[in-house]
Amino acid sequence: MKNFLYILLSSALLFAQEKKKDTFLFEFEQDSLEINVGEEKQITIRLLNEDGDLAQNPFYVFGQRKALSASPRISDSTGLAVVTVKAFKPGRAYLRTRTITVNRNDRISDRLLINVPYPPLDRIVFDKMPKKLYAGTVTSFEVEVFDKANLSRPDADVVLKSSKNSVASFDKFMNLEAKKPGKITVTASVDGVKKSFKVNIVKNPTQKITINSNVAEIRTGDVLNMNAKALDKRGKVLNDVPLNYSYTGQADYGTFGLPTSGLITDDGRFVAETAGMYTLSASSAGFSSQKRVKVVPRNVEKKIKLIGHGLITDVFTSDLWVWPGIGKHEGKDFAVTGTWGANGEAYFWDVTDPTDMKIIDTVTVDARTVNDVKISEDGKVGVITREGASNRKNGFVILDVSDPYDVKIAAAYNDDMTGGVHNAFIYENHVYAVNNGRKYDIINIDDPYNPRRVGVYELDTPGHSIHDVWIENGIAYSSNWADGIVAVDIGAKKFDEADRSSLQYNPLLAKAGQGSPSNPVKLAELEDPTGRNHAAFPFLSKSTGKFYVIGGDEIFPWGIGALKDEPSNPRGGYHFLNFSDPENPVEEAIYQVPEAGSHNMWIVGDTLITGNYQGGLRIVDISGELLGDIYKQGREIGVYLSLHENGRIPNSPMVWGAQPYKEYIFFADMNSGLYCIVIENEEKTEAP
Amino acid sequence: MKSYFFQFILIITLPVQIFAKDYYVYCAAESEDEVALIRFDGKKAYVEKRIQVGVWPVEIEGPHGITISPEGDYWYLSMAHGTPYGHLYKYKTGTDEMVDRVELGLFPASMEISNSTGLLYVVNFNLHGSHEEKSTVSIVDPEEMIEIDRVETGVMPHGSRLLNSGMKHYSVAMMSGELFEIDAMRMAVSRKILTKPANNKNQSMHNMSHKNMKKMDHSHMMSNSDKKGMAEMGHKMPPEKPTWVYPHPNDKFVYVVNNGTDNVVEVDVDNWKITRTFNTDKGPYNCEVSDDGKFLVVTYKTAGKLGIWNLKTGKEVAKFKNSRKITHGVVISPDSRYAFVSVEGIGKEPGAVEVFDLVKLKSVALAEIGKQAGGIAFWKMDN
């Protein structure tokens, strides 16, 4: 019996080895192929047996979609194919082959490297080409290289050279140091492509530097404009002489006097992050001027007092909205909260007495997540969004909330909204519903029981995607991941010079006036190179008149713990994008809590209120000019960590978003429900 | 004597060993962003593992379709939602570790790997929008995880199955009421046919569209506003709304599920015409034919039931009410013994995988999994 089994096993192994030996081999006419974009080349491929003859077995050939095509895709029955290969984009690609066999284990694959060279470089573009520079100054240059396909080629290794290094020379970071008067030619070159311009280095007439600021003391976060000038020997201001700015100092904290921390810009604006004594310096051509500034703590911290808490323990809580009652409920206050990954419920609360917030009604719709909840300004209509509906139609549900104790479903709207509505906004009897993550649909709800679509706004960028939309004064501010912030006129009032309200400082309003819900018109935009743009909120600074749109990130580098009943660890920040010049918006400041996430925000006056997920609720002073790292500047007014031992995930703050309402701030925590806090006037005292 | 004793023990316990099989299926929970591995031991079904899938933590990404590589080494999962495009994910069976992913089109859904080309064919369902645009079938090399090509078919393609030969791929276009055949080698549409049964008495499109709207499965039903919108757009959607296609093991027929008109039609592959119509319960959605060719098992999504049809007689031999209201997918074990059925549930209700004995024609087990259980694939049988 033993012998029989041995023979059987040996035979099987022998058979397997024979099988392995009987393999085919692909023979490509060349070891690799080089094809230019748009070019076609032919290559012969043979499938050979172990004797080197055609294997008499077909195989197929394929490239990669949008990169490489192959035709025909199948060889003839002998194992021979003459394949035409066409390249569509530069880089390395592979032409792949695979035998066609009955037994899939016998299949043999191979591949041929196809090198698709990048198109030849075409031109170099300087960021500036000055005709004159002053001796004793350093000027930074940037260049951009384009290829024949007009694609930017940041990988190109451009070298900048001066024709006379004794007069002016470049360092390896493209900074040109002008040493003495003379004429030079600056040349940028890469792979045979060159761009040159002539520069006249002239004697620097600077004889003095002045700093024209009388400010002796500032708080952390305050921006000091040094207003430095270069003067000639007659005291005439030299506006075209570049100045260098720097600071030194000693911070107040630490026994040994730790270094100060701050930011000084190329145009001489300074902001400090730590209190201490700073020396600011402006210099040019060997001349310099200094100014000493005392920086004191901003001291804006206040006590935060918990007024009430409506604990939700069995499901995750999503967004919230708070509004005043109407009709028979006038004088009362109500809130609605959504639920996440649960049973499609929205909870309605009576929050008239925020120390005793009670759920007074529950609306259940066919959904797993009610991500967003909104109430109309007149307090009559509510909208809740649906995701994970059992019929996959999703969309949103319109509610009659006139009586929050007895909320009625007016209509479910899901036409063309199968992918889910993640967020929505109600503005002047229209619902703006972020649809399928691609666009926002605009639905007229004059009659909430008979909603009808009147408009759609969708970007036209490749692979565009949208997350949220917020509307103020007839302008819709959408957040669009990599496409960033987009401001759209959906019925903003035309600029009226008779209107002297501060609202008119919003430069987007000056551009508006053509849009309507059925004709949305783009006003301005700013891409987000990180692709994290998740929320947008307009901010017209009361103290400076500057107009920002604040873009909030969302990123979970390590996934979400909620699905595993564990705390999450997201990251992100809030970016202050200055849209005062709508044609050239620029990021000027960021509020980013280290080791915490960012989610939704609200601005009231010059105060930012943020939901920072595991970082809790944050209240931030954003008055005055904004520059640099706001978190480090001591601008936080208060922090509330909303953890609860009986939370959905116990003892784990996860603040979704907040809304200031009357003297309170209401906010929703994913893990523990609805909170109400108040900022006390009393300043926070340091612990002994 | 000792060896005789062991042989005797072996002989008397052999049948037990043969029949004591463990069956393993993977099932996706679309609103939980989770895939469950279910083991069925012939009596009970156990959730062996729940695998969290996707990369966007606070969005529902929607794992929809799932298939296993022919060798059983990998499972592939389509994730419907992205920003905006969906992805195909590759996981290793057993360890369930993610291997790779590739971006595809809008709402990639059902899929299968060809026995001849070894390539994976996945429909880009694209249920978004006004249902006017034709969509595609993506063809992916599942080893390298690169998308090779896209083949345009009809509006909202769904169901993606190949003949056993692996030479022909079939999918249906839900909103254009068509069955498409793709030559798996040439990667091009070779034939198409309307899925309307030949003896359909409801010839009037206008009358049918209204009538069938009312009895159509919820998952594809239009609200009043939908209808109005469609009317405004001048749509003439065929009422059949085919949602699935499955080939007979003999490769001579394919079975198309007409969700909108409550029937399954048998299409003769050679003659490319509809040969039989099986009138079903409400809202048939998925189907599968047992490997022995005896049974056609159909999920009735609207009715929340499962129908088992004898293909020889063309009669429904058993019908079961499922544990939840929305019945979704079905996969049959290779021994043709058991049908594993995914049942979605509504709201917070967990989804489930139910097991039906095709020999005894009875329900035998149930395992609760995540919300909205949908795509289901058979992995292996172990003795």
Side-chain angles (χ1 to χ4, degrees):
Chain A
M1 182 68 179
K2 243 180 181 178
N3 287 341
F4 172 73
L5 282 173
Y6 179 75
I7 292 165
L8 193 68
L9 189 63
S10 302
S11 303
L13 283 171
L14 274 172
F15 178 77
Q17 283 171 6
E18 279 299 311
K19 197 76 187 166
K20 196 174 176 184
K21 195 177 162 188
D22 184 23
T23 54
F24 296 151
L25 177 73
F26 281 105
E27 182 186 76
F28 294 92
E29 189 180 5
Q30 293 170 252
D31 291 340
S32 65
L33 208 57
E34 185 163 302
I35 311 176
N36 293 314
V37 171
E39 190 183 10
E40 289 183 352
K41 278 191 179 173
Q42 279 194 338
I43 183 165
T44 301
I45 308 170
R46 293 182 176 83
L47 179 65
L48 305 177
N49 62 21
E50 56 191 353
D51 298 324
D53 300 324
L54 282 173
Q56 305 302 314
N57 192 96
F59 62 89
Y60 65 92
V61 187
F62 55 86
Q64 183 172 348
R65 183 171 176 266
K66 289 188 173 178
L68 199 68
S69 72
S71 177
R73 285 203 167 105
I74 310 172
S75 74
D76 66 15
S77 59
T78 67
L80 174 70
V82 180
V83 179
T84 301
V85 184
K86 185 173 182 179
F88 295 94
K89 73 174 187 184
R92 288 160 73 95
Y94 290 97
L95 183 70
R96 292 177 167 84
T97 55
R98 187 176 295 166
T99 54
I100 299 168
T101 62
V102 174
N103 186 347
R104 64 177 75 94
N105 293 323
D106 292 343
R107 283 184 198 137
I108 294 163
S109 302
D110 206 345
R111 63 185 191 179
L112 175 73
L113 174 65
I114 308 289
N115 184 33
V116 186
Y118 280 87
L121 298 181
D122 181 57
R123 65 190 189 281
I124 300 170
V125 178
F126 278 95
D127 65 330
K128 53 183 166 290
M129 291 193 292
K131 290 180 179 171
K132 181 183 82 174
L133 290 174
Y134 290 106
T137 62
V138 176
T139 306
S140 295
F141 288 86
E142 288 180 11
V143 294
E144 188 168 11
V145 181
F146 294 88
D147 63 22
K148 297 280 186 191
N150 205 32
L151 297 171
S152 180
R153 295 283 295 277
D155 56 318
D157 195 10
V158 180
V159 175
L160 297 190
K161 280 189 177 171
S162 158
S163 57
K164 285 183 191 168
N165 283 334
S166 59
V167 174
S169 64
F170 279 99
D171 64 15
K172 58 183 176 181
F173 306 112
M174 296 191 181
N175 298 308
L176 180 66
E177 182 186 2
K179 298 171 183 171
K180 64 180 184 182
K183 292 184 177 177
I184 64 161
T185 299
V186 169
T187 302
S189 59
V190 57
D191 293 347
V193 177
K194 290 186 178 180
K195 176 71 181 178
S196 300
F197 64 92
K198 290 180 178 171
V199 186
N200 191 12
I201 310 293
V202 299
K203 185 183 174 188
N204 193 330
T206 302
Q207 294 293 312
K208 188 179 181 183
I209 303 289
T210 61
I211 296 175
N212 303 288
S213 170
N214 295 323
V215 178
E217 182 178 301
I218 57 173
R219 301 175 301 167
T220 54
D222 287 347
V223 177
L224 185 151
N225 195 331
M226 291 170 67
N227 196 22
K229 305 285 184 195
L231 307 177
D232 66 11
K233 62 183 178 185
R234 290 192 291 270
K236 184 184 170 189
V237 175
L238 302 164
N239 288 319
D240 57 351
V241 171
L243 299 172
N244 295 320
Y245 297 96
S246 62
Y247 73 84
T248 58
Q250 194 171 49
D252 286 345
Y253 59 81
T255 308
F256 305 103
L258 294 173
T260 48
S261 174
L263 170 70
I264 196 159
T265 61
D266 288 346
D267 59 359
R269 288 176 296 152
F270 169 73
V271 62
E273 295 169 351
T274 52
M277 284 303 300
Y278 287 73
T279 299
L280 312 182
S281 177
S283 64
S284 184
F287 296 93
S288 69
S289 179
Q290 286 80 37
K291 175 182 177 60
R292 286 177 66 76
V293 178
K294 184 180 183 183
V295 177
V296 298
R298 196 169 185 86
N299 281 340
V300 292
E301 276 187 284
K302 298 274 180 72
K303 279 186 177 173
I304 306 296
K305 183 181 176 185
L306 176 67
I307 300 298
H309 177 202
L311 179 65
I312 302 287
T313 59
D314 56 340
V315 293
F316 292 109
T317 301
S318 57
D319 216 339
L320 83 160
W321 196 269
V322 190
W323 78 101
I326 58 170
K328 66 180 180 182
H329 295 296
E330 197 163 338
K332 294 179 185 172
D333 301 303
F334 299 98
V336 56
T337 54
T339 54
W340 186 89
N343 193 36
E345 291 173 335
Y347 301 135
F348 288 81
W349 307 69
D350 187 329
V351 297
T352 310
D353 175 4
T355 63
D356 185 23
M357 300 186 289
K358 292 173 185 163
I359 293 177
I360 52 172
D361 199 4
T362 299
V363 171
T364 306
V365 295
D366 181 6
R368 269 79 182 197
T369 291
V370 173
N371 187 73
D372 201 3
V373 293
K374 292 285 191 297
I375 303 294
S376 63
E377 204 171 345
D378 62 9
K380 292 179 180 174
V381 178
V383 162
I384 58 176
T385 61
R386 294 200 298 166
E387 289 173 89
S390 65
N391 61 10
R392 291 180 178 76
K393 296 298 277 189
N394 295 307
F396 61 87
V397 175
I398 303 168
L399 307 172
D400 178 347
V401 297
S402 306
D403 181 359
Y405 280 83
D406 183 21
V407 176
K408 294 182 175 66
I409 292 178
Y413 193 91
N414 57 25
D415 174 28
D416 177 21
M417 293 185 175
T418 39
V421 173
H422 195 61
N423 285 298
F425 202 90
I426 307 175
Y427 185 77
E428 292 184 347
N429 276 355
H430 291 80
V431 177
Y432 294 75
V434 173
N435 180 357
N436 295 329
R438 295 295 302 276
K439 56 187 176 178
Y440 55 84
D441 285 20
I442 305 167
I443 316 297
N444 181 301
I445 54 167
D446 281 340
D447 177 1
Y449 288 83
N450 289 291
R452 59 193 170 91
R453 178 186 282 106
V454 295
V456 175
Y457 187 78
E458 182 170 2
L459 295 174
D460 55 6
T461 53
H464 55 267
S465 189
I466 180 172
H467 179 265
D468 202 356
V469 63
W470 189 270
I471 301 170
E472 256 188 33
N473 302 314
I475 297 175
Y477 302 89
S478 60
S479 36
N480 305 269
W481 302 116
D483 282 307
I485 305 280
V486 178
V488 172
D489 178 4
I490 48 90
K493 286 179 184 171
K494 281 188 177 179
F495 180 77
D496 179 2
E497 63 183 22
D499 182 354
R500 304 299 298 272
S501 71
S502 61
L503 186 67
Q504 295 298 319
Y505 291 139
N506 181 343
L508 295 179
L509 285 175
K511 289 186 70 181
Q514 303 301 317
S516 69
S518 56
N519 179 38
V521 177
K522 190 198 290 183
L523 297 173
E525 61 189 324
L526 182 60
E527 288 181 6
D528 182 347
T530 70
R532 297 172 183 171
N533 178 234
H534 161 276
F537 207 105
F539 168 47
L540 183 60
S541 171
K542 300 289 177 292
S543 47
T544 66
K546 284 189 176 181
F547 179 70
Y548 301 87
V549 181
I550 303 179
D553 296 329
E554 183 174 62
I555 180 169
F556 284 74
W558 301 282
I560 189 165
L563 299 172
K564 294 177 281 189
D565 284 344
E566 294 171 358
S568 300
N569 197 13
R571 293 290 184 268
Y574 298 92
H575 305 262
F576 288 75
L577 312 173
N578 188 340
F579 272 74
S580 296
D581 175 2
E583 308 305 322
N584 298 290
V586 60
E587 180 170 356
E588 290 190 335
I590 185 171
Y591 172 66
Q592 183 167 261
V593 180
E595 298 179 22
S598 55
H599 196 231
N600 289 348
M601 73 194 116
W602 199 297
I603 295 163
V604 55
D606 279 356
T607 302
L608 170 69
I609 303 164
T610 63
N612 275 89
Y613 275 147
Q614 82 275 38
L617 177 87
R618 306 256 167 171
I619 304 156
V620 186
D621 168 19
I622 51 171
S623 62
E625 191 173 348
L626 299 168
L627 184 67
D629 190 334
I630 283 175
Y631 173 81
K632 292 179 179 170
Q633 294 166 5
R635 283 176 172 268
E636 283 190 340
I637 295 168
V639 177
Y640 189 87
L641 293 176
S642 45
L643 48 89
H644 195 283
E645 60 185 355
N646 296 322
R648 176 65 183 77
I649 296 176
N651 303 312
S652 174
M654 196 67 176
V655 177
W656 183 283
Q659 180 182 339
Y661 183 80
K662 296 185 176 175
E663 69 267 41
Y664 303 113
I665 295 172
F666 289 84
F667 70 92
D669 182 294
M670 268 190 99
N671 292 334
S672 53
L674 180 65
Y675 288 78
C676 177
I677 60 163
V678 69
I679 305 170
E680 296 193 310
N681 282 327
E682 193 180 342
E683 284 183 5
K684 188 177 179 182
T685 51
E686 293 298 322
Chain B
M1 183 64 190
K2 201 175 179 181
S3 66
Y4 284 121
F5 174 75
F6 281 119
Q7 283 179 29
F8 173 73
I9 294 296
L10 187 70
I11 288 165
I12 62 167
T13 60
L14 197 59
V16 177
Q17 291 176 38
I18 287 170
F19 293 114
K21 286 176 182 168
D22 278 335
Y23 298 78
Y24 292 85
V25 296
Y26 281 98
C27 187
E30 194 167 322
S31 282
E32 196 83 54
D33 281 2
E34 193 175 270
V35 169
L37 174 63
I38 312 292
R39 178 174 64 86
F40 171 62
D41 64 5
K43 291 178 181 173
K44 285 187 176 178
Y46 306 89
V47 179
E48 290 290 305
K49 202 190 281 188
R50 295 173 75 145
I51 305 129
Q52 193 187 331
V53 295
V55 293
W56 280 102
V58 285
E59 322 283 334
I60 296 176
E61 289 176 74
H64 187 91
I66 188 165
T67 196
I68 312 284
S69 65
E71 297 81 8
D73 296 338
Y74 300 98
W75 53 276
Y76 297 86
L77 181 74
S78 59
M79 294 289 265
H81 308 295
T83 57
Y85 302 115
H87 288 81
L88 175 72
Y89 282 76
K90 178 180 183 178
Y91 290 82
K92 199 157 176 48
T93 48
T95 62
D96 302 308
E97 60 191 300
M98 194 188 113
V99 178
D100 205 350
R101 72 170 189 164
V102 58
E103 187 178 82
L104 300 178
L106 287 168
F107 207 119
S110 33
M111 66 188 127
E112 193 171 29
I113 294 175
S114 162
N115 282 329
S116 64
T117 65
L119 302 177
L120 185 149
Y121 301 72
V122 52
V123 292
N124 292 304
F125 187 34
N126 187 13
L127 84 171
H128 312 312
S130 53
H131 308 148
E132 290 173 312
E133 287 178 25
K134 289 181 178 178
S135 189
T136 54
V137 174
S138 283
I139 301 172
V140 178
D141 178 359
E143 289 177 19
E144 304 271 355
M145 289 297 279
I146 56 164
E147 188 182 16
I148 298 165
D149 209 347
R150 284 185 194 177
V151 180
E152 187 179 271
T153 55
V155 182
M156 284 176 65
H158 201 247
S160 181
R161 291 292 183 266
L162 291 118
L163 295 182
N164 279 309
S165 68
M167 303 297 281
K168 304 289 183 190
H169 170 269
Y170 297 94
S171 63
V172 288
M174 198 172 149
M175 292 301 169
S176 49
E178 298 162 295
L179 167 67
F180 285 85
E181 180 187 76
I182 290 174
D183 185 313
M185 292 285 184
R186 291 194 302 112
M187 303 183 196
V189 171
S190 46
R191 294 185 293 184
K192 66 176 181 175
I193 186 175
L194 290 173
T195 66
K196 183 166 81 172
N199 60 349
N200 192 336
K201 294 171 185 172
N202 305 303
Q203 295 300 317
S204 164
M205 184 67 76
H206 178 74
N207 292 339
M208 264 312 289
S209 59
H210 185 69
K211 184 178 176 182
N212 285 299
M213 288 288 186
K214 287 185 176 174
K215 64 174 186 175
M216 201 168 60
D217 166 28
H218 278 191
S219 64
H220 316 298
M221 191 162 66
M222 318 237 87
S223 65
N224 286 333
S225 54
D226 289 325
K227 290 177 196 170
K228 192 175 178 185
M230 296 305 262
E232 284 168 357
M233 285 183 279
H235 270 203
K236 289 183 179 175
M237 280 189 310
E240 283 71 28
K241 308 232 173 323
T243 50
W244 204 255
V245 56
Y246 196 88
H248 192 285
N250 66 13
D251 279 0
K252 290 180 179 172
F253 301 100
V254 294
Y255 296 88
V256 175
V257 178
N258 281 325
N259 174 269
T261 48
D262 302 338
N263 59 58
V264 176
V265 293
E266 180 186 72
V267 178
D268 183 321
V269 172
D270 288 340
N271 296 313
W272 201 235
K273 65 176 185 183
I274 292 170
T275 48
R276 286 196 288 178
T277 301
F278 307 93
N279 291 315
T280 68
D281 209 325
K282 289 180 182 172
Y285 189 63
N286 283 188
C287 75
E288 185 151 327
V289 180
S290 58
D291 266 10
D292 60 11
K294 287 182 181 172
F295 294 116
L296 169 72
V297 181
V298 186
T299 59
Y300 303 142
K301 194 169 189 178
T302 310
K305 294 175 185 171
L306 181 78
I308 300 173
W309 294 73
N310 182 319
L311 275 179
K312 193 173 177 183
T313 63
K315 303 288 184 191
E316 190 176 42
V317 294
K319 186 153 68 177
F320 301 96
K321 188 164 178 60
N322 291 114
S323 61
R324 285 139 176 80
K325 286 183 178 174
I326 300 173
T327 310
H328 188 112
V330 57
V331 67
I332 300 174
S333 57
D335 60 5
S336 299
R337 178 70 194 267
Y338 297 107
F340 298 82
V341 178
S342 59
V343 193
E344 293 185 5
I346 294 175
K348 69 178 178 184
E349 185 181 31
V353 172
E354 298 178 21
V355 190
F356 295 88
D357 188 327
L358 296 180
V359 174
K360 296 177 181 174
L361 293 178
K362 68 172 191 177
S363 171
V364 286
L366 179 147
E368 284 195 344
I369 61 169
K371 293 187 278 291
Q372 207 166 24
I376 187 164
F378 193 89
W379 177 24
K380 65 176 182 179
M381 287 186 295
D382 270 356
N383 283 320

